[in-house]
Amino acid sequence: METIEKKTNFITNAIDHDILNKVYTDDRVHTRFPPEPNGYLHIGHAKASLLNYRIAQQYHGKFNLRFDDTNPIKEDTEYIDSIKEDLSWLGIKWDDRLFFASSYFSQMADYAVELIKKGLAFVDQLSAEELRQFRGTLTEPGKESPFRNRSIEANLELFELMKAGKLPEGSHILRAKIDMSSPNMNMRDPAIYRILHTKHHSTSEDWYIYPMYDYAHPIEDAIEGVTHSLCTLEFEDHRPFYDWVLSHLDDFKKEPPRQIEFAKLNLTKTIVGKRFLKQLVDDKIVDGWDDPRLATISGLRRRGFTPESIQAFCEAIGVAKTNSTVDIAMLEHFIRDDLKLKAPRLMAVVEPLKVTITNYPNDQTEWVELPLNQENPELGSYTTPFSREILIDRTDFMEVPAKKYFRLYPGNEVRLRGAYFITCQEVIKDTDGNVIELKCTYDPATKSGGGCERKVKGTIHWVDASHASEVELHLYDYLIEDDAGLNKDNFLERINPNSLKVVKAYLEPELMKAKAYEKFQFIRNGFFSVDPKYTTATTLVFNQIVSLKSSWKPTN
C-alpha cells in the first residue's frame, strides 16, 4: 500500500497512543470502510472512506472494503456495483480485501448461541408497541420483559426455531440481556436478531434471521482483525454496546477493535442522507442517483468533478469531534483549483448575436491559432476558423453602455480573442426594436494583437458563424433553496424548481471532438464537462461543473 504524509489529529493521536502502549501485536493498524448497500455513496461517504483509507496508508497498515449487507429488505447488487465503482474512481484500492457481512452469518449466529448459553441473551415475544412501552424514555428507566428470565434451554430452543424459519416475522426477537435502567437507551436490552423471511442478494433463502447492525458491526470488525473502527458521531452512544459484545465473546477478548467517532460531513445547500436522496430518486424529482445536482459521488463525477478535487477538499476540511456544516463554496473552490491548469479554454456562445464584419472578404476563411490554456503552455495550441460572419454573446454588447463598460457598443473598438480588433458601426433591429445584428469593421493589422500599438480595454470571445455547432448546456443551481430544509422531513418543500436550466450554445469546431467526461473552460462561462448519459454520436450535451467566480477564500 502507498505511503502518504502523516496528518496529525485526534484519531492519529489515539492510534499513536495504542502503538506506544503496544495495544496491538506488531503495532498493526487496520481500518475498514463498511457501507450498507442500500443506496449510492455521497460526499460524506467520500470523506469517511478516504479517511479510513489514508489512515491505513499513513501507518503502512491494512484497509478493508466491507459491505454490511445485514438488511436484505433494502439492499441490492446495483448498490454494491455502484459503491465499488465510486470508491475505485476516488482512488481507493482494496485489492483482495473485499468482504461481506453476510459471509459471517454462521459465525454471528454461533456467537449469539454463546451469549444465550452465558445467560446474556434471551428470546423475546413482546410486540413492537410493547417493546416501545417497555423501553422507557430518556428520563424514565425501562421495564424488563416478562420473557427476560426464560431458561437458557428455552431460549436456545426458540432461537433454533427462529433460525429454521418456524416462527413468523415479527413474532420473536433475540435481545441482549444488559440493563433496562441504563441511562444509555442503546444498552436497554437491545435487539441482536430479528426474523425476516426475505431473499438475500447473496445468501438467497438460506437464512430466516438477520443480525442487527449494532450486534454485527463489532463482530465483523473483530473477525477481520480491524484495530481502529472509525465511525461518525451518531455511533458514539452505540460504542458501549460495541464494547459489550466484544468483551463477552471469548474469541475477541484479546486485542478487540477500538471504535473512534468523528464528525460527519454536512454541506450548505446540499441534501445528504440516503433516505432523502432515495426519495428524490424514487419520486423522480431528479434524474437518478447520478443526477449532477446531487452530492452523490456518481452525481459529482457525471457533473465533471475530479477525484483529485474531492480528495483535496476532504484533506482540507480534516476531521473533527463536533458536527458542523461546510460551505459548499469550499468544495467548488477545489474543483476550480484542480481544473484551472488542466482544462482547455475554448469559446462557446450561449446567447448568440450575429456580427457581420463588412470590410472582411466575403469568400475568405482563415484559421487563427490560440493557446489551449494560457496558464499552461504544455497543453499546446489549436486553430479555429474566422470569417466575415461571427457570433458573440449578447451580453458583450450594449447599445447604451453603462459606466466603465468596455465591451462592444456603437463606435467602440474591442479585441476578438485571438483574432482582430473590430469596431461597431451599425446596429440592426427587428420590427419590435430588438437588436438582431451588428455591422462592424475590422483592422487587418491587428491580428492576434500583432503589429499594433493601439490598446483596447475590452476582449470578447466569439465563434465563426458558418462553422459553429449547436449543442445543449445544462446549467445548475443548488437543488435546495436554503439550508433550513436540509435533512428535515419537509425538505421537499425547499426544493428549488429552477435548479436545472437547459439552454442552447454554439461552439467552435475544436469542442466538437469532445468525449464523455472531458472537461473544458468555456471562456467567461465557467467549467463544463461532457455529459455521459445524454451525449450521443450526433448530439453533445455539456454539464456546467461550476462557474468561474468563487465566494470562498482559502485561509492560511
Side-chain angles (χ1 to χ4, degrees):
M1 178 178 286
E2 177 188 357
T3 302
I4 64 172
E5 178 186 357
K6 183 176 178 180
K7 301 291 184 180
T8 301
N9 52 57
F10 69 93
I11 294 176
T12 58
N13 289 341
I15 295 173
D16 289 342
H17 175 273
D18 290 344
I19 292 173
L20 181 64
N21 289 278
K22 304 295 181 181
V23 173
Y24 298 104
T25 302
D26 299 326
D27 298 335
R28 63 190 182 90
V29 174
H30 193 159
T31 64
R32 85 290 173 268
F33 178 61
E36 183 181 356
N38 62 354
Y40 282 55
L41 300 184
H42 55 66
I43 186 68
H45 296 113
K47 172 187 173 180
S49 59
L50 287 167
L51 173 63
N52 276 279
Y53 183 61
R54 286 179 167 175
I55 288 288
Q57 287 181 306
Q58 288 175 20
Y59 289 92
H60 306 280
K62 294 179 180 179
F63 168 83
N64 291 1
L65 170 59
R66 180 179 70 235
F67 288 98
D68 269 316
D69 54 345
T70 59
N71 186 359
I73 295 174
K74 297 182 178 181
E75 296 161 356
D76 195 279
T77 54
E78 174 194 351
Y79 301 135
I80 292 174
D81 293 340
S82 73
I83 289 169
K84 289 195 288 187
E85 181 181 5
D86 288 345
L87 294 178
S88 180
W89 178 77
L90 278 174
I92 293 174
K93 300 175 183 178
W94 53 89
D95 300 321
D96 60 346
R97 306 202 64 79
L98 173 63
F99 302 95
F100 290 83
S102 54
S103 301
Y104 313 134
F105 279 171
S106 292
Q107 291 163 276
M108 290 181 195
D110 290 343
Y111 289 128
V113 170
E114 180 182 340
L115 292 176
I116 293 172
K117 289 181 176 179
K118 290 179 175 179
L120 296 173
F122 68 99
V123 176
D124 202 352
Q125 289 175 242
L126 291 177
S127 68
E129 179 58 34
E130 289 171 330
L131 284 169
R132 282 190 289 269
Q133 293 174 359
F134 275 61
R135 194 176 185 215
T137 67
L138 292 173
T139 57
E140 297 178 353
K143 296 186 297 182
E144 292 185 354
S145 167
F147 305 101
R148 193 176 195 265
N149 295 314
R150 292 185 197 270
S151 69
I152 289 175
E153 291 74 18
N155 282 316
L156 288 172
E157 182 178 348
L158 284 169
F159 187 60
E160 286 302 316
L161 291 174
M162 290 172 62
K163 283 175 60 180
K166 303 297 185 181
L167 300 175
E169 284 190 17
S171 63
H172 297 71
I173 59 172
L174 182 68
R175 299 174 68 184
K177 190 186 292 187
I178 307 179
D179 182 3
M180 289 303 295
S181 64
S182 172
N184 186 337
M185 302 285 281
N186 298 291
M187 298 296 280
R188 295 183 184 178
D189 293 3
I192 58 179
Y193 264 101
R194 79 281 209 199
I195 302 170
L196 290 175
H197 294 187
T198 302
K199 187 175 181 178
H200 188 276
H201 75 90
S202 178
T203 61
S204 189
E205 298 175 350
D206 291 348
W207 289 91
Y208 298 98
I209 59 169
Y210 291 90
M212 305 301 290
Y213 179 79
D214 278 357
Y215 170 73
H217 177 204
I219 293 175
E220 295 159 16
D221 285 346
I223 289 173
E224 293 174 12
V226 168
T227 57
H228 298 86
S229 182
L230 310 183
C231 305
T232 46
L233 279 178
E234 67 264 32
F235 291 99
E236 184 173 20
D237 290 340
H238 299 248
R239 190 189 337 135
F241 183 57
Y242 182 100
D243 294 338
W244 183 92
V245 170
L246 297 175
S247 66
H248 287 92
L249 294 175
D250 294 341
D251 286 350
F252 308 131
K253 290 182 178 180
K254 182 180 179 182
E255 299 189 11
R258 175 182 181 183
Q259 180 175 303
I260 304 173
E261 303 85 19
F262 62 92
K264 64 167 52 178
L265 170 60
N266 291 305
L267 283 176
T268 60
K269 304 182 185 300
T270 305
I271 297 169
V272 293
K274 288 181 183 177
R275 176 166 67 91
F276 304 108
L277 293 169
K278 190 173 188 303
Q279 187 173 354
L280 291 172
V281 174
D282 291 346
D283 293 349
K284 300 189 184 304
I285 295 171
V286 295
D287 178 30
W289 287 95
D290 65 347
D291 189 297
R293 292 168 292 178
L294 296 181
T296 56
I297 296 175
S298 59
L300 292 168
R301 180 168 65 249
R302 181 179 161 198
R303 183 157 178 169
F305 277 75
T306 62
E308 293 83 4
S309 66
I310 295 175
Q311 292 165 6
F313 168 71
C314 291
E315 279 289 312
I317 60 176
V319 291
K321 292 183 178 181
T322 55
N323 285 323
S324 61
T325 301
V326 178
D327 191 340
I328 192 171
M330 184 178 179
L331 175 62
E332 294 169 346
H333 161 80
F334 280 98
I335 184 61
R336 288 190 189 94
D337 190 62
D338 187 52
L339 290 180
K340 67 181 180 182
L341 298 181
K342 290 181 179 178
R345 301 177 184 181
L346 299 169
M347 297 186 287
V349 171
V350 179
E351 297 181 63
L353 177 59
K354 180 181 178 182
V355 173
T356 300
I357 304 171
T358 56
N359 63 332
Y360 194 89
N362 272 316
D363 57 352
Q364 179 173 309
T365 297
E366 60 182 305
W367 292 78
V368 296
E369 185 174 4
L370 291 155
L372 281 168
N373 187 316
Q374 296 94 317
E375 293 185 61
N376 184 6
E378 291 184 4
L379 288 186
S381 61
Y382 73 104
T383 57
T384 196
F386 180 86
S387 61
R388 180 183 175 90
E389 293 182 353
I390 63 172
L391 302 176
I392 68 169
D393 256 311
R394 190 168 292 274
T395 55
D396 284 334
F397 171 79
M398 290 184 72
E399 189 172 11
V400 180
K403 188 176 180 180
K404 294 186 178 180
Y405 183 82
F406 301 121
R407 300 176 205 167
L408 204 56
Y409 56 86
N412 191 46
E413 185 176 52
V414 299
R415 179 198 304 274
L416 295 177
R417 181 176 179 268
Y420 299 95
F421 291 5
I422 62 170
T423 302
C424 180
Q425 306 290 354
E426 183 182 358
V427 179
I428 309 299
K429 300 181 180 180
D430 62 16
T431 54
D432 294 324
N434 299 311
V435 177
I436 59 173
E437 184 181 357
L438 304 177
K439 301 285 189 179
C440 298
T441 56
Y442 86 115
D443 182 348
T446 60
K447 185 175 182 180
S448 300
C452 178
E453 296 181 359
R454 194 163 70 253
K455 302 293 183 182
V456 292
K457 292 185 176 181
T459 299
I460 63 176
H461 64 282
W462 54 277
V463 295
D464 185 74
S466 61
H467 291 82
S469 297
E470 185 182 85
V471 301
E472 188 173 282
L473 302 187
H474 291 179
L475 308 179
Y476 299 108
D477 196 359
Y478 301 115
L479 186 59
I480 198 157
E481 292 186 312
D482 59 66
D483 295 334
L486 287 181
N487 297 339
K488 307 292 183 183
D489 289 336
N490 67 342
F491 80 101
L492 291 178
E493 299 172 10
R494 303 287 183 177
I495 295 296
N496 177 6
N498 301 311
S499 60
L500 170 62
K501 183 179 180 182
V502 179
V503 301
K504 299 296 183 183
Y506 298 85
L507 310 185
E508 55 181 324
E510 185 73 13
L511 278 164
M512 301 310 293
K513 305 173 186 176
K515 301 293 188 296
Y517 293 112
E518 287 190 330
K519 303 166 208 336
F520 303 89
Q521 182 187 136
F522 291 174
I523 302 296
R524 297 217 343 264
N525 281 304
F527 291 98
F528 287 79
S529 180
V530 181
D531 185 272
K533 198 166 190 174
Y534 295 122
T535 292
T536 67
T538 58
T539 304
L540 266 179
V541 177
F542 285 85
N543 294 326
Q544 181 190 42
I545 308 171
V546 70
S547 64
L548 293 178
K549 293 184 179 180
S550 174
S551 60
W552 183 84
K553 301 294 182 184
T555 55
N556 295 325

